[in-house]
Amino acid sequence: MVDFNRMLGLARQSAFPEMLPAKKITLDEKYSNLVVNVNLSLANLFTKIQAKAPKAELLESYCHGMRDFFEMANFKEWAYIMLMSDEDLNQIGQKWKSDSFATVYLIIQQQINKCYFNRQPQALVHAWHMYLKLGLIDLDFDEQEIEAQYLKMYDQN
């Protein structure tokens, strides 16, 4: 089982990520930057998918995106919605491969933006579940390699 609690905790304890320049740094501005980071990580991952990057490079990029999802959820105190049980992961594991990476990218991005603009945490849950499916089914990563690569980002292996 993936230890999502530990992974969320590592993201919560890390330094706040780089931000885009702004006249005034407010809580809203910090949150906006976290949403931008998720979108940028998503774009980076799909650029690598398009370029047919090696699996190790895709996994590293995927885990960076996962970290950005966790940072966004932690900031809004929504970490609890990111937790997945073994049953939840098994349900994701029984899904079929997507027909179109482009469609997956656009739907995840749309849900992240919907969460931000409409202040709907449920949209983040939908994006998160799609992101997990992307990694586990479409990119064919297993849970252990995702967790090991994620922990490696924090020197926890």
Side-chain angles (χ1 to χ4, degrees):
M1 176 177 169
V2 178
D3 190 351
F4 287 106
N5 260 335
R6 181 176 181 199
M7 294 164 77
L8 279 156
L10 289 169
R12 187 174 25 261
Q13 295 166 8
S14 66
F16 197 86
E18 293 289 319
M19 292 184 48
L20 294 169
K23 285 184 180 182
K24 185 176 179 184
I25 304 299
T26 64
L27 289 177
D28 284 341
E29 184 65 21
K30 286 183 177 183
Y31 178 55
S32 296
N33 274 269
L34 292 172
V35 173
V36 167
N37 287 347
V38 173
N39 276 314
L40 291 174
S41 287
L42 193 62
N44 182 45
L45 174 61
F46 276 83
T47 299
K48 290 180 182 188
I49 291 169
Q50 185 179 43
K52 297 177 177 54
K55 185 175 181 177
E57 196 175 321
L58 292 173
L59 179 61
E60 184 178 346
S61 185
Y62 180 82
C63 289
H64 280 279
M66 182 176 272
R67 177 206 56 212
D68 290 336
F69 266 99
F70 288 156
E71 286 177 347
M72 182 178 162
N74 280 330
F75 187 80
K76 293 299 280 185
E77 298 180 1
W78 294 338
Y80 65 94
I81 67 177
M82 306 301 274
L83 300 176
M84 302 289 290
S85 67
D86 283 342
E87 185 179 320
D88 295 331
L89 287 173
N90 286 336
Q91 285 178 350
I92 288 173
Q94 295 182 20
K95 305 259 184 205
W96 58 92
K97 285 193 180 239
S98 301
D99 291 333
S100 166
F101 278 112
T103 301
V104 171
Y105 170 78
L106 291 169
I107 292 170
I108 294 173
Q109 189 178 56
Q110 183 253 358
Q111 290 299 306
I112 292 165
N113 291 333
K114 183 177 182 181
C115 172
Y116 176 76
F117 288 110
N118 298 343
R119 293 170 169 54
Q120 293 180 352
Q122 247 348 84
L124 182 62
V125 171
H126 188 59
W128 173 237
H129 289 181
M130 288 190 68
Y131 194 76
L132 288 173
K133 180 192 170 289
L134 170 69
L136 294 169
I137 303 300
D138 298 324
L139 297 175
D140 202 30
F141 301 139
D142 67 47
E143 295 172 23
Q144 291 74 30
E145 67 184 336
I146 292 171
E147 186 171 11
Q149 178 62 41
Y150 185 90
L151 296 176
K152 186 177 171 185
M153 290 189 318
Y154 294 97
D155 294 324
Q156 295 290 310
N157 266 351

